Amino acid sequence: MSTSSTDEVGVGVKPSAPTRTANAYPNYVHPEVLNAQANDVFWCLVALRIANALTLATFFQPDEYFQSLDPAWSIVFGKDSGAWITWEWQNQLRSSLHPLLFASVYYPASILSAVIDLSPPLRAELLIAAPKVAQAFLAASTDYITWRLSERLYGRSSSIAWATLLLTVLSPWQWFFSTRTFSNNLETTLTIFAIYFWPWQWSSDRLENDVTDSNGLRISQENGRSSDELTKLRRALLLAACACFIRPTNGLMWACIVASTLHKATTREIATLIRESAICGATIFTLEILLDRWYYGLWAFPPFRFVYYNVAQSISVFYGTSRMDYYLTEGLPLVLTTALPFAIAGVWQTLQLTGEGSPPNLPGSEAKKVKIAQGTLRALAVVACALPTSLSLLSHKEVRFISPILPVLHILAAKPFASFYDPFPTPKIGWRKMLLFITVLLNILIAGYTGYVHQRGVLDAIHFLRREHQQVLYDIAIREEPSVSASPNITVGFFMPCHSTPWRSLLVHPTIKGWALTCEPPLDIPLSERHLYVDEADEFYQNPELWLDNHMEPMGDVYEDRRKSKIDLGHRRPWPTYVVFFEQLEPVMQNTGAARHYSQSWRGFNTHWHDDWRRQGDVIVWRKHAEQE
């Protein structure tokens, strides 16, 4: 019986189930073979996510760049490097931990490019690829530890654990999102690792055969050394604290996990948890305070300011509101796609587990594993329900806010998924085999469209501008100019909704000077008057022609006449070398007086559809005629 019980951990299946079900325990495999297999899986995941990161060609949301890469760029290359530092960083709302991670990647990449004397184009490609590769390692680590946690809960090398890995690898959302440099992805990685290290045996009922250390703390059966358990607890707490500092809303998940642990923990375990939480929390707090003091140049506590501005001052509402049911009707379907029905079934089945008694005919040690796994799965199911429910109370909602629970949902979805396609991964029933094939194909198509088609034009435009400038640098070099710095800077103006494109992390060269329409929030305006506030981008789109007349310098003869008459043009922007805009704005731009001084230099497909009418159609780049520069 001991050879058939491990795979049933936490799933509530009786030993009398047929041996070929999704829960059947595999034939014995030596632990060293399993360890080698796990090592192979990890490096395959790393290779997959690096390919994922380096080939991804679409734009999702500006925070991918403006809340991580541009601040990191500023740290390494200086405040005059052209990085765009948004209002959140100017008002100390963000933890410096996240950009410091990518600064630690940019710095050696920059040193390497200097040591081996890379050309400007190759240096640019290296600096663009470096953070992508770093994020790919984080994404692969998330995939790997999700699979290992599933093995712990369902049995090592079990079909359900492999189903978890398949759901993770073939997730369109993971392909589209996990290798992007969002703070939500770092939060997800830190959270799933912390869950993996958490002492889940403290969250289960006490049994007669519990093994305790000299301090009366229950130890997991995976190792019998109390020092290891304490080390794992400290790892979990340190990781959880980092996740909460980076994304304060992560505390909602840990409130649920800690509550489930305190409910079943012994007095000594509760005391240990409180003591270690205080020590680890104080450690990360001190580190955070010191790093933020260094980064901002003043004493600041970003988590407090984040909550104050976004919740108490409702600044987040300025960037959009959603219905109360957004996460239920849109968020979860987007992150789960074809795994949604299995996740619903998995959460429901797990919450039905009462946890009373032990499975029959199991040795004491195996029964204990079952109890711990069942308790762990119930706690994770509660977390998966609690986070979107809690976030639904906030007006501002984004799908990426619930991404930290996706690994948990994949673990919960794996059992019904493997059971439905029994025996997994080659079901006997023909129509289910065909359905599995169609599901895999559909996931690949969704990942392909979102990762390589939808909203690719805004990235292609930035790559075009960078390469155009690199050609200028090359032309100067072959003309044997005294220095590249002697070349005239090119200027770029973006007539687009704010933050529609990446910035310095893809433009790279500081000699590309750019500006764009802004959308700074009304920080100093009372709540009662905020409905009257209009940011620069909204003002532009209310009447583009009027805005251009009022904010851009006249060109050609008109400009010469006004210059000679000494009319003050100080508040107006000069027309840049390049202007970039969406196809929706093309008729307006063609009717402006500036149109005769520009010609189309590049045009690229962006998207077949967009929910923002201002971003519809191709992306267009105009270049000023040579005689006007």
Side-chain angles (χ1 to χ4, degrees), residues 438-590:
I438 293 174
T439 299
V440 171
L441 180 61
L442 181 60
N443 284 359
I444 293 174
L445 291 175
I446 294 172
Y449 182 79
T450 57
Y452 303 100
V453 179
H454 184 62
Q455 292 197 93
R456 68 166 299 135
V458 288
L459 296 191
D460 291 340
I462 297 297
H463 292 313
F464 167 78
L465 291 169
R466 186 184 68 255
R467 289 163 185 159
E468 281 281 285
H469 186 56
Q470 287 168 175
Q471 183 62 47
V472 172
L473 298 180
Y474 175 77
D475 292 341
I476 291 174
I478 62 175
R479 288 200 303 267
E480 297 182 352
E481 293 283 345
S483 68
V484 172
S485 60
S487 67
N489 299 326
I490 71 164
T491 54
V492 186
F494 294 84
F495 293 114
M496 294 173 154
C498 65
H499 307 312
S500 289
T501 70
W503 204 250
R504 193 56 54 187
S505 59
L506 289 192
L507 288 172
V508 178
H509 305 288
T511 42
I512 301 177
K513 307 294 183 180
W515 54 262
L517 301 176
T518 62
C519 54
E520 301 302 298
L523 297 180
D524 301 321
I525 298 178
L527 284 171
S528 59
E529 300 177 13
R530 285 184 186 170
H531 67 283
L532 302 174
Y533 176 76
V534 179
D535 63 47
E536 184 181 34
D538 286 342
E539 180 186 357
F540 171 82
Y541 278 98
Q542 286 176 355
N543 192 328
E545 297 94 334
L546 180 62
W547 191 96
L548 292 172
D549 286 341
N550 291 337
H551 294 84
M552 300 300 295
E553 290 183 356
M555 298 187 69
D557 297 337
V558 176
Y559 171 72
E560 288 298 320
D561 293 340
R562 294 196 181 188
R563 185 181 63 82
K564 291 176 181 178
S565 62
K566 299 183 179 180
I567 294 177
D568 181 19
L569 301 175
H571 70 286
R572 295 173 180 261
R573 289 181 172 133
W575 282 88
T577 312
Y578 296 90
V579 293
V580 187
F581 51 90
F582 287 107
E583 183 179 356
Q584 177 274 334
L585 195 65
E586 187 175 20
V588 174
M589 297 299 293
Q590 289 175 338

Side-chain angles (χ1 to χ4, degrees), residues 186-451:
L186 179 57
E187 175 194 8
T188 301
T189 302
L190 294 171
T191 301
I192 194 61
F193 268 88
I195 289 174
Y196 181 81
F197 290 125
W198 191 255
W200 290 105
Q201 67 275 12
W202 296 2
S203 303
S204 64
D205 293 321
R206 280 158 278 184
L207 300 175
E208 293 181 359
N209 63 334
D210 279 338
V211 180
T212 60
D213 62 10
S214 58
N215 296 316
L217 304 176
R218 285 176 288 175
I219 334 172
S220 69
Q221 293 186 335
E222 292 172 314
N223 63 73
R225 294 177 297 177
S226 59
S227 59
D228 285 345
E229 290 300 318
L230 198 56
T231 298
K232 286 163 59 178
L233 172 62
R234 288 168 178 166
R235 289 174 183 170
L237 292 171
L238 290 171
L239 292 167
C242 288
C244 291
F245 272 105
I246 292 170
R247 297 286 305 176
T249 51
N250 191 257
L252 297 170
M253 297 182 65
W254 287 103
C256 296
I257 293 174
V258 171
S260 70
T261 302
L262 294 177
H263 179 62
K264 296 291 182 70
T266 66
T267 302
R268 292 184 179 181
E269 289 165 352
I270 291 174
T272 300
L273 181 58
I274 293 174
R275 183 193 71 222
E276 295 300 327
S277 297
I279 295 172
C280 294
T283 301
I284 299 301
F285 175 84
T286 302
L287 176 64
E288 170 78 13
I289 289 293
L290 293 176
L291 288 176
D292 288 335
R293 175 66 177 84
W294 172 81
Y295 177 77
Y296 288 115
L298 52 85
W299 295 108
F301 188 52
F304 170 78
R305 297 181 69 83
F306 178 89
V307 174
Y308 172 76
Y309 278 105
N310 286 307
V311 180
Q313 294 295 313
S314 299
I315 291 298
S316 60
V317 175
F318 178 73
Y319 294 102
T321 60
S322 300
R323 304 184 315 272
M324 180 71 77
D325 63 346
Y326 170 80
Y327 290 119
L328 179 64
T329 59
E330 296 183 47
L332 289 171
L334 280 172
V335 299
L336 286 165
T337 56
T338 57
L340 178 62
F342 301 106
I344 294 173
V347 171
W348 175 258
Q349 292 172 7
T350 302
L351 291 176
Q352 299 308 301
L353 295 174
T354 62
E356 297 178 357
S358 300
N361 304 321
L362 288 181
S365 61
E366 297 300 328
K368 181 181 178 182
K369 289 181 181 179
V370 171
K371 296 287 288 184
I372 294 174
Q374 288 179 342
T376 303
L377 289 167
R378 280 196 305 274
L380 295 180
V382 170
V383 168
C385 296
L387 182 65
T389 301
S390 302
L391 294 178
S392 294
L393 301 177
L394 302 177
S395 299
H396 180 67
K397 303 175 181 69
E398 294 184 34
V399 61
R400 59 191 175 92
F401 293 170
I402 60 171
S403 60
I405 63 170
L406 184 57
V408 169
L409 289 170
H410 283 156
I411 291 173
L412 296 170
K415 179 188 175 293
F417 182 81
S419 298
F420 184 80
Y421 294 112
D422 176 40
F424 182 81
T426 54
K428 286 184 177 180
I429 302 176
W431 70 268
R432 293 192 179 186
K433 185 181 295 184
M434 179 58 66
L435 182 60
L436 179 59
F437 172 78
I438 293 174
T439 299
V440 171
L441 180 61
L442 181 60
N443 284 359
I444 293 174
L445 291 175
I446 294 172
Y449 182 79
T450 57

